[in-house]
Amino acid sequence: QVRLRVISIMPNESANIETIGGDVEIGNAIVPELDFTYFFDKNWAAELILGTANHDVKAVSTAAGDIKLGDVWLLPPTLTLQYHFDAETVRPYLGAGLNYTIFYSVDEGPVADSVDYDSSFGFAFQGGLDFYLDDKWFLNIDAKYILINTDATIDATSALGATVGADVDINPLVVGLGVGMKF
C-alpha cells in the first residue's frame, strides 16, 4: 500500500554546547510525507517513510547570548517493521525500526561562518490507525517518535573568534494525517 500524509514535525531538542554552554531551539515544520508499505502476511509489514523538512536552528542561553544558526534541511528515511491488528474498518498498527538522517543545504545564518551537521542513525517508534473507506482506499492517522542525534560544528571565528562543537538531540514527535491506497 502507499500513503500520502501531511505531517507536523515537533522536535524535542536538547544540546550540550562546548565552550559557550547553552541549549538549542529547533523550529517545527509541516511537510508532506510519502510512505510505502509491503505486507509479508495479513499482520506483518515493512514501511519505508520518505520526506524532507527545513528547520530553523538557534543556540539559546549561551555565554554569547542567543545565536541564530540559520536553517538546515533534514532527509530522514525511516524503515519500520509493523504489526497490524486484525480489524475490519479501523485497523490499528504499531511499529519500530531504524532511521538514517542526512543534513543538507545548510544556511549558516548571520553569525556563523559555517555549520556542519553529522549524519546519524537512530531508532524510530510508531503507532497509527487506518480507517478503511472501501477495499482500496483508506484514511490514516500516524504518530512517530524518532531518535535523531547529531554532532554539529559551528565555525564562528569571524563573530566569536571560536569554533564550537555541540552534541544535539533532535528527537522529534511526528504526527500525520493522510490518505492511502491498497494495491
Side-chain angles (χ1 to χ4, degrees):
Q1 63 188 25
V2 63
R3 291 187 194 96
L4 180 62
R5 297 185 188 112
V6 173
I7 59 171
S8 176
I9 305 167
M10 300 163 280
N12 182 23
E13 70 273 39
S14 65
N16 180 7
I17 303 173
E18 298 173 358
T19 312
I20 62 172
D23 209 343
V24 66
E25 282 184 7
I26 300 171
N28 295 346
I30 296 176
V31 297
E33 176 197 75
L34 180 66
D35 73 68
F36 300 95
T37 304
Y38 176 79
F39 279 83
F40 302 108
D41 63 25
K42 71 176 190 164
N43 298 103
W44 289 99
E47 179 180 85
L48 178 61
I49 302 160
L50 305 169
T52 189
N54 182 269
H55 295 274
D56 292 326
V57 181
K58 185 187 330 180
V60 295
S61 303
T62 73
D66 291 353
I67 303 168
K68 182 169 173 25
L69 297 174
D71 60 83
V72 61
W73 284 86
L74 279 70
L75 175 65
T78 304
L79 181 65
T80 60
L81 179 64
Q82 300 173 328
Y83 183 81
H84 293 252
F85 296 91
D86 288 328
E88 292 296 318
T89 307
V90 178
R91 194 162 186 207
Y93 60 89
L94 294 174
L98 292 176
N99 162 268
Y100 182 69
T101 301
I102 301 163
F103 298 84
Y104 68 99
S105 292
V106 178
D107 172 10
E108 291 83 11
V111 175
D113 300 318
S114 69
V115 181
D116 294 312
Y117 299 90
D118 291 344
S119 297
S120 74
F121 279 101
F123 292 105
F125 306 95
Q126 175 183 39
L129 295 169
D130 289 329
F131 300 90
Y132 284 90
L133 303 173
D134 58 31
D135 290 341
K136 186 174 185 175
W137 295 96
F138 59 94
L139 301 175
N140 173 260
I141 185 168
D142 183 86
K144 291 179 274 307
Y145 191 73
I146 304 172
L147 302 176
I148 300 174
N149 175 273
T150 185
D151 289 325
T153 305
I154 301 99
D155 178 359
T157 306
S158 298
L160 301 175
T163 297
V164 177
D167 178 22
V168 182
D169 292 324
I170 302 170
N171 301 342
L173 173 62
V174 180
V175 177
L177 296 171
V179 61
M181 181 181 77
K182 283 174 60 172
F183 54 93

